[in-house]
Amino acid sequence: MKNYELAKIFDEMGDILDFLGENPFRVRTYKRASQIIYGLSDDIEILFKSGKLAEIKGIGESILSKVEEFLKTGKIHNYEELKAKVPQGILELLNIPGIGPKGLKALYDNLHITNFDELIKACEDKLVQKLPGFGPKKEENILKGLLRTKEAVFRFPIGLVYEDVLNLLERVREIKGVKRAEVAGSFRRMKETIGDADIEVSGEDGAGIIKNFTQLDGIKEIISEGDTKGSVILHNGLQVDIRVVESGSFGACLQYFTGSKEHNVKLRGIAKEKGFKINEYGIFKGDKFIAGENEEDIYKTLGLIWIPPELREDKGEIELAQAGELEDILKELIDYDDIKGDVHCHSSYSDGGETIIAMAISAKRLGYEYIVITDHSQSLKIAKGLEIERLYKQWEEIDKINKSGELGNFKIFKGTEVDIKSDGALDYPDDVLKNIDFVIASIHSGFRESEQVITKRIIRAMENPYVTAIGHPTGRILNTRDPYNVNLIEIFKKAKETNTFLEINAYFDRLDLNDVNVRIAKEYGVKFVIGTDSHNTSQLKNIRFGIGQARRAMLIKGDVVNTHPLAEFEREIKNKRGAIC
Ligand SMILES: [Zn+2]
Ligand SMILES: [Zn+2]
C-alpha cells in the first residue's frame, strides 16, 4: 500500500506551503488530505480505482489528480517543485513540538537555521530566546523537543502497516515450497507499535523461497537475501525479515520470535527447572529433541496450555496457566468477532468524510447489529461541531433511516461526542443530552492543565447522568502527543460509582485506554466500550486494534458493553440514567 507514502507527501506539501506563507486554505487542503489518507485501512490504489476515494469529503479534484500521478509515476511534480523552494533539512524541524511553520520561518530568516544541529546549537547559545515571540521558556521547550525527537526510535503504529503485512503474508503462503507461514513479533502480539515484521516460514528450498519473496509486489528495497534468511523494506518504510526453517522447528521458531522477551525468559526458567532446554529449533531434554513443530507442544511439555500471543507479556499469564486458571479465562476472553456494534463514529455532519447511511451500511457488512453516530458538539468549530439545530436535523435523518426498514433489524443510535469544557461543564445542555441515546464526553482542549484540573473536569462530566462513556480517557496520540496529566485511579473509581463506561479508543494512533490502564480499571470494576472513532467507512476495521488491547488486558466479553446484542446493549446504556434520574 502506498497510503503512508502519500500521506507523508501531502503533509509535507502543507508544511512547505505554510512555511512559504501561502494561502492557509491551500495548506489546510493538503493537511486534511494527509490525515484522511493516513487513516485509511484500505489500499489507496484500490479506493482510487473504484472511485471510492473521490467520495470521501476532503479529497477534492486537485488531490485526486496528484494521487493519480503518484500511482502512475511514483512522483508528484508539484511536490518536487515545492521541495526545491526550501532548504533541505528544514522540514524535519516542523515535527518538533512548539515550533510550527511561522516560528520556523522566523528562525530561518533571522538565524539562518536550516537543520536539527544548527537549531540545537542556537538554543544552547541562547540566540533563539532573543527573537520576538520566543523567550527563554519557549527556547527551553524547543531544545527539549529537539533532543527528545533526536533520540526517539520511530516505531510504526500497528494500524499503519497491518494490511500490508497481512497481504504480504498471504503472498508468502502462495510461494512454491512454503508449507506454513506466520508473522511473529509484536505484530502477532498486537502491540500498539511495531519496529519491524518477522515472517517465519517452514518449507523446502529456503533459497528459492527467499528469492521469490524478494520479488513480491510492494517491496521497495532488498537489504539481504540468503539461503534461510532475507530482509526487505516495503513501500511504507517497514523492514520485513523472513526466516525459513524445517517443519519440525516451525512452532518453536514462531514461539521464540513472537516473544515477548520477558515471557520467553520466564518460560526458559521453567524449562530449566524441569530439565528441558528451549531455543528457536525446539524443546530438548539433553540433546534429545522433544517437540518443535507446533507451539502448543512447547507449552504442553512445560505443563502449560497454549497462551494467546497478545497475552505473552509476563504479566501473570504464565502463573495463571500453571495454576490451571487460564483455561477458564480463555473461554471468555474477548475475541475478534465478538463486537456487535461500533459506538464511536463520525459522519459528514461534523468532520467525518461519509454520510450516516454509508457508515451504517458498512457497519452492517461487518456483521454488526448497531452503530452509534457520535459527531462533535458545537464548540469544536475546527471539526464542524454540530449546533443544536443541526443536531436535531441529524436526529430526523437517523429516525427516518431506522423507520424505513432499509437496514433490517440494524439500528442507528443517536449519539454525540460532547466536549468537556474547561470547567467540566458539557457542550450541550442537559435537556438536549437527555434525548441522545449514547453520550461520549471527551476532552479536546486544555491538554496542558494540571492533573487536578483535568481530573476534576472528567469527574464532573461523569457525574452528569446523561454521559454514557468517557472518550479516549488520556488523550495520548502515538508518536505525537503524551497523555494529559490525569489521576486515572480517581477516574476509575468515579466511573464505577456512576456506572460510566470508559472507552478503549481503537483508532490506531490513540489506543486509549491502553492495555495497562484497562487492566487496572478492571480491578476497580469499570466496564468498557470499544469504539473506532472512525471518520470514514475504511476505519471501521480498526476495531481489531482495540480488541487487541482488550485481550492483552485479559478482558472477557462481559467486560465490554458493545459485545452485547442489540436489545441487551440498549438496556445497558440506559442503566446509568435509570439509576440516577
Ligand atoms: Zn475525540
Ligand atoms: Zn471522535
Side-chain angles (χ1 to χ4, degrees):
M1 271 167 39
K2 293 177 179 155
N3 300 29
Y4 186 44
E5 269 180 303
L6 270 162
K8 275 205 296 198
I9 290 176
F10 288 136
D11 185 54
E12 224 173 285
M13 288 177 81
D15 282 342
I16 298 174
L17 289 168
D18 204 359
F19 179 83
L20 295 172
E22 295 276 339
N23 181 348
F25 181 75
R26 276 187 76 202
V27 174
R28 178 100 194 101
T29 302
Y30 285 110
K31 287 282 182 182
R32 176 110 198 266
S34 168
Q35 259 176 13
I36 293 170
I37 294 168
Y38 179 87
L40 295 172
S41 295
D42 298 308
D43 191 334
I44 194 163
E45 201 153 356
I46 295 170
L47 291 174
F48 176 78
K49 284 182 183 151
S50 67
K52 275 218 76 173
L53 187 65
E55 285 168 20
I56 298 178
K57 223 173 69 180
I59 304 284
E61 274 306 317
S62 118
I63 297 290
L64 277 175
S65 70
K66 290 181 182 71
V67 170
E68 185 175 18
E69 186 188 346
F70 186 78
L71 293 176
K72 272 188 186 148
T73 67
K75 275 199 168 133
I76 296 175
H77 183 66
N78 201 236
Y79 169 58
E80 302 299 326
E81 276 179 356
L82 280 175
K83 267 204 302 192
K85 287 187 186 168
V86 292
Q88 262 188 352
I90 206 155
L91 291 168
E92 64 190 71
L93 292 175
L94 278 167
N95 299 320
I96 309 301
I99 302 186
K102 306 259 177 324
L104 194 58
K105 186 80 170 54
L107 292 166
Y108 174 66
D109 288 344
N110 295 294
L111 302 172
H112 312 295
I113 302 286
T114 60
N115 63 42
F116 244 87
D117 294 330
E118 286 170 12
L119 185 51
I120 289 178
K121 180 145 195 319
C123 286
E124 284 168 351
D125 293 346
K126 308 213 179 304
L127 297 172
V128 173
Q129 55 174 274
K130 291 186 188 123
L131 296 179
F134 280 84
K137 185 83 197 138
K138 195 162 178 184
E139 183 182 72
E140 194 189 316
N141 283 336
I142 290 174
L143 184 59
K144 262 193 216 154
L146 282 166
L147 296 174
R148 223 173 92 184
T149 308
K150 220 179 160 182
E151 280 161 18
V153 183
F154 180 77
R155 288 176 63 86
F156 289 85
I158 187 166
L160 201 54
V161 292
Y162 198 78
E163 286 283 324
D164 275 341
V165 175
L166 277 191
N167 284 335
L168 194 68
L169 177 66
E170 281 311 310
R171 273 170 286 139
V172 167
R173 286 179 174 151
E174 289 161 7
I175 293 175
K176 205 173 144 250
V178 170
K179 287 195 183 128
R180 293 168 74 185
E182 292 290 348
V183 185
S186 26
F187 182 91
R188 185 160 178 244
R189 304 203 319 279
M190 284 296 252
K191 291 290 281 186
E192 300 166 352
T193 59
I194 67 173
D196 56 20
D198 300 294
I199 301 184
E200 316 305 338
V201 174
S202 72
E204 276 134 36
D205 181 22
I209 290 172
I210 285 165
K211 179 98 219 148
N212 276 301
F213 167 72
T214 59
Q215 303 306 314
L216 292 175
D217 270 354
I219 289 168
K220 198 175 185 177
E221 194 187 325
I222 302 169
I223 303 175
S224 69
E225 52 176 309
D227 290 341
T228 58
K229 278 194 244 174
S231 266
V232 298
I233 307 273
L234 303 186
H235 271 290
N236 57 28
L238 181 77
Q239 179 171 334
V240 181
D241 300 331
I242 189 167
R243 192 176 287 102
V244 184
V245 295
E246 286 174 13
S247 293
S249 292
F250 181 77
C253 179
L254 185 61
Q255 199 287 324
Y256 185 90
F257 288 105
T258 295
S260 68
K261 212 167 118 195
E262 293 77 10
H263 175 89
N264 284 354
V265 165
K266 187 156 277 174
L267 278 194
R268 281 202 293 274
I270 295 171
K272 207 172 158 197
E273 274 170 29
K274 294 182 180 261
F276 295 105
K277 194 181 78 192
I278 318 178
N279 58 30
E280 68 234 71
Y281 304 106
I283 181 159
F284 299 84
K285 191 144 214 170
D287 288 337
K288 193 175 164 245
F289 175 86
I290 307 287
E293 183 162 0
N294 294 301
E295 274 192 330
E296 285 82 350
D297 302 335
I298 311 263
Y299 285 98
K300 208 172 143 195
T301 309
L302 298 176
L304 307 170
I305 59 164
W306 179 80
I307 299 175
E310 299 93 328
L311 269 56
R312 298 182 194 171
E313 295 290 331
D314 188 22
K315 294 264 175 68
E317 74 280 4
I318 295 174
E319 289 78 0
L320 284 168
Q322 281 178 317
E325 287 167 30
L326 189 61
E327 199 161 357
D328 281 342
I329 297 174
L330 294 190
K331 277 183 202 142
E332 286 293 307
L333 188 72
I334 184 166
D335 215 335
Y336 292 96
D337 55 2
D338 282 337
I339 294 292
K340 296 287 191 300
D342 203 323
V343 298
H344 189 163
C345 297
H346 297 269
S347 76
S348 45
Y349 270 86
S350 68
D351 60 346
E354 293 183 66
T355 59
I356 294 173
I357 185 77
M359 295 297 283
I361 289 171
S362 288
K364 195 179 170 198
R365 260 187 220 137
L366 289 178
Y368 291 166
E369 298 176 17
Y370 47 87
I371 188 172
V372 188
I373 299 293
T374 53
D375 278 314
H376 290 290
S377 61
Q378 48 195 351
S379 293
L380 204 63
K381 298 268 189 291
I382 187 168
K384 276 183 50 208
L386 274 61
E387 307 86 31
I388 294 171
E389 277 311 304
R390 282 206 297 139
L391 188 66
Y392 289 160
K393 241 187 95 193
Q394 184 178 58
W395 293 355
E396 267 175 41
E397 186 174 330
I398 290 175
D399 283 337
K400 209 172 129 201
I401 302 171
N402 280 333
K403 273 192 200 126
S404 75
E406 59 180 303
L407 296 173
N409 290 327
F410 184 94
K411 179 163 179 176
I412 306 173
F413 284 98
K414 292 169 197 156
T416 179
E417 183 177 13
V418 67
D419 262 39
I420 301 175
K421 296 203 268 192
S422 55
D423 58 353
L426 298 172
D427 196 23
Y428 288 132
D430 278 4
D431 61 345
V432 171
L433 292 175
K434 76 175 182 208
N435 291 312
I436 302 179
D437 302 316
F438 196 103
V439 175
I440 299 177
S442 300
I443 285 190
H444 292 123
S445 60
F447 302 118
R448 288 185 197 182
E449 298 274 16
S450 68
E451 177 178 307
Q452 212 190 0
V453 169
I454 293 198
T455 308
K456 250 195 187 151
R457 284 168 76 188
I458 300 178
I459 283 183
R460 189 171 161 202
M462 286 193 282
E463 280 166 347
N464 183 300
Y466 306 113
V467 169
T468 325
I470 298 296
H472 42 73
T474 77
R476 69 102 174 248
I477 296 182
L478 287 171
N479 293 328
T480 305
R481 191 169 74 209
D482 286 338
Y484 32 69
N485 288 316
V486 55
N487 185 332
L488 283 174
I489 300 300
E490 292 305 313
I491 303 298
F492 298 159
K493 285 184 193 160
K494 190 54 107 179
K496 166 70 180 164
E497 180 196 318
T498 57
N499 214 348
T500 309
F501 310 135
L502 296 185
E503 182 185 38
I504 301 173
N505 188 298
Y507 190 79
F508 62 75
D509 266 2
R510 289 191 179 271
L511 296 175
D512 177 14
L513 296 171
N514 68 9
D515 60 302
V516 176
N517 290 324
V518 168
R519 196 182 272 244
I520 303 169
K522 180 175 167 159
E523 282 170 20
Y524 283 87
V526 171
K527 289 242 188 294
F528 306 88
V529 287
I530 305 180
T532 55
D533 209 346
S534 283
H535 286 68
N536 54 59
T537 53
S538 172
Q539 295 175 345
L540 291 167
K541 277 197 268 181
N542 287 333
I543 198 84
R544 55 197 171 194
F545 308 118
I547 300 170
Q549 295 287 319
R551 282 169 68 82
R552 188 161 30 261
M554 284 197 222
L555 291 196
I556 58 169
K557 255 170 83 166
D559 293 323
V560 179
V561 178
N562 52 328
T563 59
H564 293 311
L566 179 58
E568 213 177 323
F569 174 76
E570 206 158 4
R571 257 198 316 276
E572 284 269 351
I573 64 177
K574 282 181 185 151
N575 262 345
K576 176 176 176 180
R577 296 174 184 200
I580 301 182
C581 305

PDB file of all heavy atoms in Angstrom, residues 344 346 376 417 442-444 472 505 510 533, ligand 1:
ATOM      1  N   HIS A 344     -18.425   4.646  18.405  1.00  0.00           N
ATOM      2  CA  HIS A 344     -17.783   5.957  18.249  1.00  0.00           C
ATOM      3  C   HIS A 344     -17.493   6.181  16.768  1.00  0.00           C
ATOM      4  O   HIS A 344     -16.481   5.708  16.252  1.00  0.00           O
ATOM      5  CB  HIS A 344     -16.503   5.999  19.093  1.00  0.00           C
ATOM      6  CG  HIS A 344     -15.876   7.359  19.183  1.00  0.00           C
ATOM      7  ND1 HIS A 344     -14.939   7.685  20.139  1.00  0.00           N
ATOM      8  CD2 HIS A 344     -16.031   8.485  18.445  1.00  0.00           C
ATOM      9  CE1 HIS A 344     -14.560   8.939  19.983  1.00  0.00           C
ATOM     10  NE2 HIS A 344     -15.202   9.446  18.956  1.00  0.00           N
ATOM     11  N   HIS A 346     -17.940   9.121  13.406  1.00  0.00           N
ATOM     12  CA  HIS A 346     -18.282  10.459  12.934  1.00  0.00           C
ATOM     13  C   HIS A 346     -18.844  10.370  11.515  1.00  0.00           C
ATOM     14  O   HIS A 346     -18.487   9.474  10.760  1.00  0.00           O
ATOM     15  CB  HIS A 346     -17.047  11.355  12.964  1.00  0.00           C
ATOM     16  CG  HIS A 346     -16.515  11.546  14.355  1.00  0.00           C
ATOM     17  ND1 HIS A 346     -16.931  12.578  15.153  1.00  0.00           N
ATOM     18  CD2 HIS A 346     -15.648  10.818  15.106  1.00  0.00           C
ATOM     19  CE1 HIS A 346     -16.319  12.491  16.333  1.00  0.00           C
ATOM     20  NE2 HIS A 346     -15.536  11.420  16.329  1.00  0.00           N
ATOM     21  N   HIS A 376     -19.180  15.573  16.592  1.00  0.00           N
ATOM     22  CA  HIS A 376     -18.682  16.536  17.590  1.00  0.00           C
ATOM     23  C   HIS A 376     -19.742  17.558  17.973  1.00  0.00           C
ATOM     24  O   HIS A 376     -20.663  17.829  17.212  1.00  0.00           O
ATOM     25  CB  HIS A 376     -17.449  17.252  17.039  1.00  0.00           C
ATOM     26  CG  HIS A 376     -16.248  16.366  16.941  1.00  0.00           C
ATOM     27  ND1 HIS A 376     -15.586  15.903  18.050  1.00  0.00           N
ATOM     28  CD2 HIS A 376     -15.611  15.846  15.870  1.00  0.00           C
ATOM     29  CE1 HIS A 376     -14.574  15.143  17.662  1.00  0.00           C
ATOM     30  NE2 HIS A 376     -14.570  15.079  16.347  1.00  0.00           N
ATOM     31  N   GLU A 417     -20.314  13.110  20.515  1.00  0.00           N
ATOM     32  CA  GLU A 417     -19.061  13.192  21.260  1.00  0.00           C
ATOM     33  C   GLU A 417     -19.000  14.619  21.769  1.00  0.00           C
ATOM     34  O   GLU A 417     -18.568  15.536  21.071  1.00  0.00           O
ATOM     35  CB  GLU A 417     -17.842  12.873  20.389  1.00  0.00           C
ATOM     36  CG  GLU A 417     -16.555  12.902  21.218  1.00  0.00           C
ATOM     37  CD  GLU A 417     -15.295  12.522  20.446  1.00  0.00           C
ATOM     38  OE1 GLU A 417     -15.333  12.452  19.207  1.00  0.00           O
ATOM     39  OE2 GLU A 417     -14.259  12.291  21.108  1.00  0.00           O
ATOM     40  N   SER A 442     -15.701  13.899  25.905  1.00  0.00           N
ATOM     41  CA  SER A 442     -14.257  13.853  25.633  1.00  0.00           C
ATOM     42  C   SER A 442     -13.617  15.212  25.865  1.00  0.00           C
ATOM     43  O   SER A 442     -14.262  16.244  25.723  1.00  0.00           O
ATOM     44  CB  SER A 442     -13.990  13.487  24.164  1.00  0.00           C
ATOM     45  OG  SER A 442     -14.521  12.232  23.839  1.00  0.00           O
ATOM     46  N   ILE A 443     -12.325  15.145  26.154  1.00  0.00           N
ATOM     47  CA  ILE A 443     -11.534  16.368  26.269  1.00  0.00           C
ATOM     48  C   ILE A 443     -10.820  16.618  24.944  1.00  0.00           C
ATOM     49  O   ILE A 443     -10.128  15.740  24.436  1.00  0.00           O
ATOM     50  CB  ILE A 443     -10.516  16.236  27.427  1.00  0.00           C
ATOM     51  CG1 ILE A 443     -11.258  16.366  28.752  1.00  0.00           C
ATOM     52  CG2 ILE A 443      -9.398  17.266  27.286  1.00  0.00           C
ATOM     53  CD1 ILE A 443     -10.374  16.501  29.956  1.00  0.00           C
ATOM     54  N   HIS A 444     -11.047  17.805  24.373  1.00  0.00           N
ATOM     55  CA  HIS A 444     -10.367  18.164  23.122  1.00  0.00           C
ATOM     56  C   HIS A 444      -9.623  19.487  23.254  1.00  0.00           C
ATOM     57  O   HIS A 444      -9.137  20.038  22.271  1.00  0.00           O
ATOM     58  CB  HIS A 444     -11.369  18.277  21.964  1.00  0.00           C
ATOM     59  CG  HIS A 444     -11.974  16.969  21.567  1.00  0.00           C
ATOM     60  ND1 HIS A 444     -13.331  16.743  21.564  1.00  0.00           N
ATOM     61  CD2 HIS A 444     -11.423  15.790  21.175  1.00  0.00           C
ATOM     62  CE1 HIS A 444     -13.578  15.498  21.164  1.00  0.00           C
ATOM     63  NE2 HIS A 444     -12.428  14.903  20.933  1.00  0.00           N
ATOM     64  N   HIS A 472     -11.584   8.418  24.658  1.00  0.00           N
ATOM     65  CA  HIS A 472     -10.109   8.446  24.753  1.00  0.00           C
ATOM     66  C   HIS A 472      -9.626   9.096  26.057  1.00  0.00           C
ATOM     67  O   HIS A 472      -9.107  10.213  26.052  1.00  0.00           O
ATOM     68  CB  HIS A 472      -9.473   9.100  23.537  1.00  0.00           C
ATOM     69  CG  HIS A 472     -10.144  10.347  23.013  1.00  0.00           C
ATOM     70  ND1 HIS A 472     -10.088  11.557  23.646  1.00  0.00           N
ATOM     71  CD2 HIS A 472     -10.895  10.549  21.907  1.00  0.00           C
ATOM     72  CE1 HIS A 472     -10.759  12.458  22.952  1.00  0.00           C
ATOM     73  NE2 HIS A 472     -11.258  11.870  21.890  1.00  0.00           N
ATOM     74  N   ASN A 505     -10.400   3.433  22.851  1.00  0.00           N
ATOM     75  CA  ASN A 505     -10.474   4.031  21.527  1.00  0.00           C
ATOM     76  C   ASN A 505      -9.546   3.250  20.600  1.00  0.00           C
ATOM     77  O   ASN A 505      -8.343   3.168  20.831  1.00  0.00           O
ATOM     78  CB  ASN A 505     -10.064   5.506  21.617  1.00  0.00           C
ATOM     79  CG  ASN A 505     -10.293   6.262  20.328  1.00  0.00           C
ATOM     80  OD1 ASN A 505      -9.706   5.946  19.303  1.00  0.00           O
ATOM     81  ND2 ASN A 505     -11.142   7.273  20.372  1.00  0.00           N
ATOM     82  N   ARG A 510      -4.356   6.225  18.652  1.00  0.00           N
ATOM     83  CA  ARG A 510      -4.759   6.522  20.027  1.00  0.00           C
ATOM     84  C   ARG A 510      -4.595   5.295  20.929  1.00  0.00           C
ATOM     85  O   ARG A 510      -3.831   5.302  21.861  1.00  0.00           O
ATOM     86  CB  ARG A 510      -6.212   6.990  20.059  1.00  0.00           C
ATOM     87  CG  ARG A 510      -6.422   8.387  19.476  1.00  0.00           C
ATOM     88  CD  ARG A 510      -7.838   8.864  19.792  1.00  0.00           C
ATOM     89  NE  ARG A 510      -8.150  10.199  19.294  1.00  0.00           N
ATOM     90  CZ  ARG A 510      -7.927  11.321  19.973  1.00  0.00           C
ATOM     91  NH1 ARG A 510      -7.412  11.273  21.174  1.00  0.00           N
ATOM     92  NH2 ARG A 510      -8.249  12.494  19.453  1.00  0.00           N
ATOM     93  N   ASP A 533     -13.752   5.478  16.607  1.00  0.00           N
ATOM     94  CA  ASP A 533     -13.545   6.897  16.290  1.00  0.00           C
ATOM     95  C   ASP A 533     -13.375   7.057  14.783  1.00  0.00           C
ATOM     96  O   ASP A 533     -12.573   7.863  14.327  1.00  0.00           O
ATOM     97  CB  ASP A 533     -12.291   7.417  17.023  1.00  0.00           C
ATOM     98  CG  ASP A 533     -12.387   8.900  17.337  1.00  0.00           C
ATOM     99  OD1 ASP A 533     -13.266   9.570  16.771  1.00  0.00           O
ATOM    100  OD2 ASP A 533     -11.570   9.376  18.148  1.00  0.00           O
TER     101      ASP A 533
HETATM  102 ZN    ZN B   1     -12.401  12.802  20.315  1.00  0.00          ZN
END
